[in-house]
Structure formats: C-alpha cells, structure tokens
Amino acid sequence: MNKIYKSLLAAALFSAGAANTPIAMAQSQNAAKKGESSKKTIGSFTSVKPIGQSGTITYPAETHEIQMLAKSGVTSYNVGGTGTIPGNNDFTAFIPIKGSSKKGYLSVNHENNPGGVSVLDMRLDESTNLWEVKAVKKVDFSTLVKTERNCSGGITPWGTVITSEETTSGGDANGDGYQDVGWQVEIDPASGKIVDHDGDGKPDKLWALGRMSHENIAVSKDRVTVYQAEDGGSSSIYKFIANKPEQLSEGTLYVLKRDSETATTGTWVQVPNTTQADRNNVYNTAKSLGTNWRNPEDVEFGPDGKMYFTSKGTGTIWRFKDNGTTVSEIEAWVTPKLYEVYYNGGSQTEDWGTGIDNLTFDGEGNLWALQDGGRNNVWVIKPDHTPEKPNLQLFMTTPYGSESTGLNFSPDFKYGFISIQHPSGSNTDTFTDAAGNEVQFNKDITFVFARKEDLGKKNADRGKGNALVPAKLIDVYPNPFLTGTKVSLEMPEKANVVLEVHNMQGKSIETLHSGVMNAGKYTFDFTPSEESDNGIYLVRLQVNNQKSTTKIMKADN
C-alpha cells in the first residue's frame, strides 16, 4: 500500500470490500405498468418516493449503490497544493484515460471567490468494484490572477476539461487588457496545468469565447463547434465556430435570436469578438442581439441530433434543431407542472417547479435533470417523453440546504459522478456507502453511483434496501429533556427497523425496537438510568440498510 493510498484511506475516502455479483432489479407493479425497463443499465430503476429534502439523500437502493469519493474539509491535496479541498463542489467531470471507464481523472469545480478546481486521479479496483483515489491535485490559477465562481463546464473530445466562470466581476490586475474573470478556462487534467493557447509559454483563458456569466460549455465531436449558456447577463444561448479544430482561441461567436416570442424558428446572430474590447463586453453586446431565455443553466447535445437547454427562471427544458445559420423545431420539451411519480408501494404527484439546472444524457437517451430550486430533485426524463404524454422518474432527493451538481457519466455509462453542494451543517443523518464509509451530508460531498452489480460488495443486506429516509421519519420531543423524552417514528411502509439509544462513547444504552415494523406511527419512551446518565445521547435508527443519527440532550435541573 503506497503512501498516497494510506493518506487517503486515513481521510476516510474509501475502504476495501469483497467482489460483487449481479443481482436482479426490484420492480413494483406500478413501475411495470409504466413500462419500466428491466435492463441492468444505470437508468433502469424504480422511482423513489417524493419527500422533498431530508437529512440525507434518497436513491433507489434496491438497484443502485453509491460510494463517497471526496468531502470538503476532509479530503487532502497531495499534488499542487496543501490543505483540504474547499466546498461548493459543482461540475464533476470524468475524463477517461485512453477511453477507459475504469481509470480517469475526476475534475471538480469549486464555485467560490476565488474559485478553484480539484482533480482526482482515480482507478476502479475490479476485485472489489470500488473506486480508489490515487492522488488529489490542486489546479494553480495564479498565472491568470485567479478564477471566480467556477460553476459548470464541459469536456472536450481531445481529453481536456473546461471550467466556466459564472461572473463578470470587474478588474484587470495584471494589466493585460482582458478583464480577469468571466471566461472559460481549459485544463489538462493529467498535469493539472492550464492550456497555453497562443504558444507564448504562458497559460491563457479562452478570450474568443467571450466574457459573460458562463454556466457551461458543450464541445461538438467535430472539434470546431461549441455551445454556451449564460446564467444572467444576456441570459442567452451562444454558438462558437473555431477557425481550426481543437483550437478554441480564435473563431466566430453567435447568439441565438428567436424569430418571435412563440416562434419555432430562430437565427444565429454574429456577436463582435475580435478585439479585447469586444471580448470583454460580450455579455452586454449580446443583450440587444439575442433572446433572453430566463437564466439558461446548461446546454447539451441530444442523441436525436437536437440541442437541449434549461431555463432556470421558468423551469423549462427547451430543445431545438441547429441548421447552421438558423434553428428550427424550438420546443418547450419539459414544462413546470405536477407529474405522477410511481414508486415502490404507490404513486403520487410531484411539482416540477422551477430551478432546473444541469442536464446529462446517458447511453440510452435518458436525460438526467438536476434542480437548483423547487424541491431540488434529480429527475430522469425518458426518451419517449412528450409534453402531451409525460414519462419521468425521480432518481434522487437531496439533503437539507443543498442542491445536486455536475452529473457526468463514464464512457460505458455504468458510473455516474455527482456532487452535493452546500448541504446544511446541521445534517446529522448517516448511512453506510458501498465502501463501508459512514456518510454524513453536512459538508459538500462528491460521490459515484452505479447499479449494485457494478459498485461495491454484495452482502445479506444488499438488495433489501429501500428509499426510506430515517431523517423524515423520526422525531424526539422534548429535546432537551429533564427526566425522559419520547421518540416518535412514522413508517410509510413495512421494513426491518433497529432503533437504539447510544451514549457519546458509542455504547448502546437501550434498544427501543429491533425487528420488522409495519407501516404506521409509533412512540417509544426513553428515560436514562442514573448510571448511564451523561447528558448527551445519540438516537440511532436503521431502516434496512439506511441509517440515521439524531442527537438528544438531558437538561440540567
């Protein structure tokens, strides 16, 4: 075991487990009625129950597993810097090494001021089906003064990653004629170095792409065509045509102009971007040239040849066909309304709301949609979805105070890499991940998810999990208490339940329940004995393979 591995292990990033074997997907009758696929692909699952935010995440634990990879304030840099990685994790990009889905670099944006990017050098240990983080690099932006609010970004076909600055703060500290922030920045993930575009030996930002509140970037397989979304400013969709393949430092910039407020057609209008003044002021110039789409948050290539983008302000996912100088078939593909969610045990409507943010397609044409607003859900829109005949599933709910960010898949679409940004520090619920880590969403976390047969070990509890979230089920009152308190529990469905009280040293003080518990409401009394009285206790609830911990206190008389 090398020194880097030991240090990461000590930081509780991962631990070893046994090899797993395939298991069958659990399907509910409701899911079957909706035509849910039984194929063992990452987009094949039964929806979780819509519950809004809780103390942890919910995901389809019957079929999927997660593994923590990095945590803000815990994971340490060992290349390019010292200390621990910062928070506000955003774009989470997996850049494969030589096309591999089992080894690559995970580039994680940090949406701060100053901003940052961390790069994890990772490998999949096929004997355990667990990911190992071999090194954690800190990208140095000091040669470019700084980056700021590194939001989303994109991966290029030639194996680099682009990080997007979502701000137009003013300042030219190095006097080079370009404003310091508001740009796209290309990084070589292998070296952690910023790309030198003009060959003068110094790194550059991608000035020709324009200064704006960049949300993301999508680079075409033709290595020439680029699309960008601006969250704020002009709130427009842009297209850039490079003069040479793989060289995004020179080219022509356009902004999308819809022919009318309701038209299904539009035109690409050229935006001046040849001089430093032009490039510094793109976000202002484009306001009068293009259409305001109400805070576009992401633009992505669809498997049907169309472009898909979000409107965070309206909660709409739009799509259109690019014909070169014009566009056609502009359509509001997903719109805010109540959608029926079929979960294991029933169905209910869930409000789509607003705040639609990141978009990512998987290998089957499912569109994964992450929300920053509303209920902050992770949705999956099926390929046959239409506005008239909706077909959506709910993959994940998020912890209190947070949003999910930056979803990106491995080339074989078996592994999804995602982050949870700014969760509440008051979240105390825990559960055990695929590597055996006790995961608590009280700081930013980056993790990988996959189907169970592709991630982690198989044991007696795997395959029996469900989407129950202990944090939403348990309540303790009074807390603090004088002599005794009541622990209330509401079970939405039948499950195996262990409810215990521990002292702060981890010793079990009292088992309130252990065994199968039917759906319903339950109340348990807890009165500590004098010999066990230490003032602070932990109520630990385990529902199948999900765990929650709630702190309670005895007040002084």
Side-chain angles (χ1 to χ4, degrees), residues 286-541:
K287 285 182 181 179
S288 61
L289 301 176
T291 295
N292 185 319
W293 295 94
R294 297 279 304 276
N295 300 88
E297 282 277 336
D298 207 342
V299 56
E300 295 290 340
F301 296 95
D304 55 1
K306 296 182 178 182
M307 298 303 300
Y308 289 71
F309 70 93
T310 67
S311 169
K312 181 177 177 179
T314 66
T316 304
I317 298 178
W318 294 88
R319 65 178 180 177
F320 64 85
K321 181 180 179 181
D322 188 356
N323 304 308
T325 58
T326 63
V327 305
S328 60
E329 301 178 41
I330 297 175
E331 177 188 15
W333 192 53
V334 184
T335 57
K337 60 182 180 181
L338 294 173
Y339 290 101
E340 193 75 16
V341 175
Y342 294 83
Y343 57 90
N344 194 356
S347 70
Q348 70 183 59
T349 57
E350 175 76 341
D351 190 356
W352 175 267
T354 59
I356 189 64
D357 201 320
N358 295 156
L359 300 176
T360 312
F361 281 95
D362 66 20
E364 293 188 296
N366 300 306
L367 180 57
W368 297 65
L370 285 59
Q371 290 182 299
D372 174 15
R375 302 254 281 182
N376 291 281
N377 290 323
V378 176
W379 293 88
V380 176
I381 301 102
K382 310 303 286 187
D384 62 351
H385 167 89
T386 66
E388 298 75 25
K389 295 182 178 181
N391 190 0
L392 303 87
Q393 289 182 276
L394 185 59
F395 181 77
M396 185 184 294
T397 67
T398 52
Y400 291 124
S402 73
E403 60 171 301
S404 55
T405 57
L407 175 59
N408 188 248
F409 291 105
S410 58
D412 61 6
F413 296 101
K414 287 186 176 181
Y415 301 97
F417 302 91
I418 191 171
S419 293
I420 296 294
Q421 186 183 100
H422 55 67
S424 170
S426 299
N427 292 334
T428 59
D429 304 328
T430 62
F431 70 92
T432 306
D433 75 353
N437 297 316
E438 289 293 311
V439 180
Q440 187 178 68
F441 286 93
N442 57 350
K443 294 182 179 180
D444 286 34
I445 286 180
T446 295
F447 62 91
V448 58
F449 67 87
R451 286 188 59 91
K452 283 178 173 289
E453 54 266 30
D454 297 317
L455 185 64
K457 61 185 179 179
K458 179 182 179 182
N459 59 37
D461 291 330
R462 299 290 161 87
K464 296 181 180 179
N466 60 19
L468 297 177
V469 184
K472 295 290 284 189
L473 309 178
I474 193 169
D475 183 48
V476 180
Y477 185 82
N479 184 23
F481 61 91
L482 290 176
T483 57
T485 187
K486 293 183 181 295
V487 179
S488 298
L489 192 62
E490 183 173 0
M491 295 294 297
E493 60 186 74
K494 183 178 179 179
N496 289 309
V497 175
V498 178
L499 182 62
E500 297 179 318
V501 180
H502 291 243
N503 62 22
M504 292 301 291
Q505 289 72 45
K507 181 181 178 181
S508 178
I509 300 300
E510 185 174 343
T511 298
L512 302 178
H513 180 87
S514 180
V516 174
M517 185 177 284
N518 293 318
K521 297 181 179 180
Y522 301 85
T523 300
F524 303 91
D525 292 317
F526 171 65
T527 302
S529 62
E530 292 184 5
E531 57 269 22
S532 67
D533 186 6
N534 62 359
I536 302 177
Y537 302 89
L538 300 174
V539 179
R540 292 186 174 177
L541 170 66

Side-chain angles (χ1 to χ4, degrees), residues 215-235:
E215 176 64 26
N216 87 312
I217 186 169
V219 184
S220 171
K221 292 180 180 179
D222 68 11
R223 301 172 182 246
V224 170
T225 308
V226 173
Y227 296 88
Q228 304 175 96
E230 182 179 17
D231 181 13
S234 68
S235 279

Side-chain angles (χ1 to χ4, degrees), residues 45-56:
F45 61 91
T46 299
S47 292
V48 299
K49 184 177 181 178
I51 61 168
Q53 292 195 319
S54 65
T56 184

Side-chain angles (χ1 to χ4, degrees), residues 207-285:
W207 316 117
L209 292 176
R211 179 169 169 259
M212 64 183 83
S213 295
H214 291 281
E215 176 64 26
N216 87 312
I217 186 169
V219 184
S220 171
K221 292 180 180 179
D222 68 11
R223 301 172 182 246
V224 170
T225 308
V226 173
Y227 296 88
Q228 304 175 96
E230 182 179 17
D231 181 13
S234 68
S235 279
S236 294
I237 299 296
Y238 295 81
K239 180 168 74 170
F240 177 83
I241 306 296
N243 293 344
K244 297 180 181 179
E246 300 186 15
Q247 298 183 26
L248 306 184
S249 57
E250 296 293 339
T252 307
L253 184 66
Y254 302 89
V255 67
L256 180 58
K257 175 72 173 180
R258 197 176 187 183
D259 290 339
S260 72
E261 287 187 5
T262 59
T264 60
T265 57
T267 305
W268 291 109
V269 180
Q270 187 170 345
V271 181
N273 75 326
T274 55
T275 68
Q276 285 185 326
D278 288 341
R279 295 169 175 180
N280 282 333
N281 290 286
V282 160
Y283 73 104
N284 278 322
T285 305

